[in-house]
């Protein structure tokens, strides 16, 4: 990222929420994890300017924070879509055509695993078994589970969410 782009991002992120989170934990030893978790709850991901803010206010190195953020899969460094579309790629779903379901998502919305649409409406995630093998192939959109997916059914589900705000 160029300096100019970094400066633009710094300007666009309102750090009020992050400062409020840090305020709560300022005197607490070992607060880095909860601080990062709560910042992610506020922004939906951990923006770069927040990393620098946390480093400065908690007196830790930015590199140490990035170490934590990249080690734990729960953290996201990029904005994510309003709707997270999880396509199960576990064995049962794979055998029953999960690949075609993933391809349909890619064809319709242009996103593959870990990618987000430009309008920040959808993020795709290919995941391991989500424990609903009896309904394979399975997807989830947010907390909603859809089973016995076909290409047609996938198109219907996508249509439904495209129309939603
Ligand atoms: S393999 Fe997809 S739900 Fe189990």
């Amino acid at each position: 990222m160029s300096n100019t782009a970094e400066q633009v991002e710094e300007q666009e992120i309102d750090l009020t929420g992050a400062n409020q989170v840090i305020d709560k934990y300022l005197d607490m030893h070992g607060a880095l994890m909860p601080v990062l978790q709560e910042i992610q709850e506020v922004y939906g991901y951990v923006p770069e300017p927040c990393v620098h803010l946390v480093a400065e206010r908690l007196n830790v190195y930015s590199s140490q924070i990035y170490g934590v953020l990249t080690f734990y899969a729960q953290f996201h460094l990029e904005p994510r879509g309003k709707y997270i579309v999880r396509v199960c790629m576990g064995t049962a779903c794979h055998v029953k055509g999960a690949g075609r379901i993933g391809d349909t998502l890619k064809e319709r919305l242009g996103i593959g695993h870990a990618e987000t649409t430009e309008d920040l409406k959808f993020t795709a995630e290919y995941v391991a078994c989500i424990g609903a093998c009896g309904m394979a192939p399975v997807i989830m959109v947010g907390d909603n589970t859809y089973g016995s997916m076909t290409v047609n059914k996938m198109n219907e589900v996508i249509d439904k969410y495209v129309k939603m705000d």
Side-chain angles (χ1 to χ4, degrees):
M1 189 184 286
S2 71
N3 281 339
T4 309
E6 276 174 19
Q7 284 159 6
V8 168
E9 187 177 358
E10 298 259 2
Q11 287 162 5
E12 285 176 352
I13 299 289
D14 179 355
L15 293 173
T16 308
N19 271 313
Q20 286 170 347
V21 170
I22 297 166
D23 286 344
K24 285 198 297 181
Y25 290 95
L26 257 192
D27 299 324
M28 221 177 280
H29 185 67
L32 186 55
M33 278 296 279
V35 164
L36 295 176
Q37 283 164 341
E38 287 195 28
I39 284 175
Q40 180 158 283
E41 278 170 29
V42 172
Y43 297 93
Y45 71 112
V46 183
E48 189 178 337
C50 292
V51 173
H52 298 310
L53 182 72
V54 171
E56 192 183 304
R57 293 199 60 200
L58 293 186
N59 200 22
V60 290
Y61 290 112
S62 294
S63 57
Q64 193 182 337
I65 298 173
Y66 279 116
V68 171
L69 293 174
T70 51
F71 183 79
Y72 293 99
Q74 61 176 291
F75 290 116
H76 306 288
L77 287 163
E78 300 289 336
R80 294 183 1 120
K82 180 175 181 183
Y83 299 109
I84 310 297
V85 183
R86 295 185 173 90
V87 181
C88 179
M89 293 291 180
T91 305
C93 289
H94 174 74
V95 168
K96 291 207 163 185
R100 286 198 304 276
I101 304 305
D103 288 347
T104 306
L105 187 63
K106 178 93 182 171
E107 282 159 20
R108 286 290 310 277
L109 300 179
I111 49 173
H113 174 62
E115 293 176 348
T116 299
T117 55
E118 272 184 23
D119 62 1
L120 296 182
K121 191 158 181 182
F122 296 96
T123 294
E125 282 184 354
Y126 297 169
V127 297
C129 179
I130 53 178
C133 307
M135 311 192 314
V138 179
I139 69 157
M140 291 184 74
V141 183
D143 292 331
N144 298 318
T145 304
Y146 300 88
S148 306
M149 296 302 292
T150 61
V151 169
N152 280 349
K153 199 167 169 189
M154 187 63 184
N155 276 312
E156 284 169 21
V157 172
I158 292 170
D159 285 342
K160 174 180 160 182
Y161 284 91
V162 163
K163 284 181 195 144
M164 285 165 63
D165 284 338

